[in-house]
Amino acid sequence: MATAAFPQDPDLGQLRNQARELQRGARSGDPDALARVARWHPDPPPAEALPLTAAQMVLAHEHGFSNWTRLRRYVQVVTSRVWTPGKPASEGEPLADRFLRLACLTYGDDEPVDRAAAAQLLAEHPNCPDGTCSSPPHAQTFPPSAASSLAAGTPPP
């Protein structure tokens, strides 16, 4: 059972660094690192010679994966398919894209000013959410009632 929280936007480089830190900690006799290795490695090697692969296995097990390869593959798949709204907007951003970037919750850097800007955009372009403002396919099915609710900061009907 995993005990370490997996980051929302996992970074393989950061996970590698964490494995190296664990390796260094175990080799230097750090009690926390030694406890993690003892708990999560099925056959812990001697701490003074802990290989990086053993530290990677511990990290994978802490996150609920059977091995480092599966953790690495998961991160690769997730990062290749994630959509992160860009800020600031690029020049010539389509109206529908701008509306979605401002109105959609990102669980990170949401600001009330974004919802207000989405509401203003919707007021200036009331047909935008129904796909008549040269929007990409993902925005063409966005119902206007839901768009108004999102911009106002209330749940859609």
Side-chain angles (χ1 to χ4, degrees):
M1 180 174 182
T3 60
F6 210 71
Q8 179 181 341
D9 296 320
D11 180 324
L12 195 53
Q14 181 59 32
L15 291 167
R16 283 186 183 119
N17 289 339
Q18 289 176 16
R20 286 186 193 104
E21 289 173 14
L22 177 60
Q23 178 190 33
R24 285 192 292 272
R27 284 182 173 181
S28 68
D30 176 59
D32 291 333
L34 293 172
R36 289 171 64 192
V37 171
R39 178 174 182 192
W40 292 104
H41 198 289
D43 185 22
E48 60 278 355
L50 186 80
L52 182 58
T53 55
Q56 289 171 332
M57 177 184 284
V58 168
L59 201 66
H61 287 178
E62 286 179 326
H63 284 55
F65 294 89
S66 60
N67 57 50
W68 178 259
T69 302
R70 288 184 185 237
L71 180 145
R72 186 184 70 226
R73 181 67 184 136
Y74 173 81
V75 170
Q76 290 169 338
V77 168
V78 166
T79 56
S80 71
R81 289 172 173 76
V82 72
W83 174 72
T84 304
K87 288 186 181 181
S90 61
E91 281 296 316
E93 179 181 38
L95 289 175
D97 285 357
R98 185 178 330 149
F99 177 78
L100 289 174
R101 179 177 48 79
L102 294 169
C104 291
L105 183 63
T106 61
Y107 300 101
D109 56 354
D110 295 312
E111 298 288 335
V113 70
D114 290 342
R115 288 188 301 278
Q120 178 65 33
L121 180 68
L122 188 60
E124 293 171 3
H125 304 278
N127 292 331
C128 186
D130 69 7
T132 60
C133 62
S134 303
S135 62
H138 65 271
Q140 292 182 2
T141 58
F142 204 65
S145 59
S148 300
S149 296
L150 277 171
T154 59

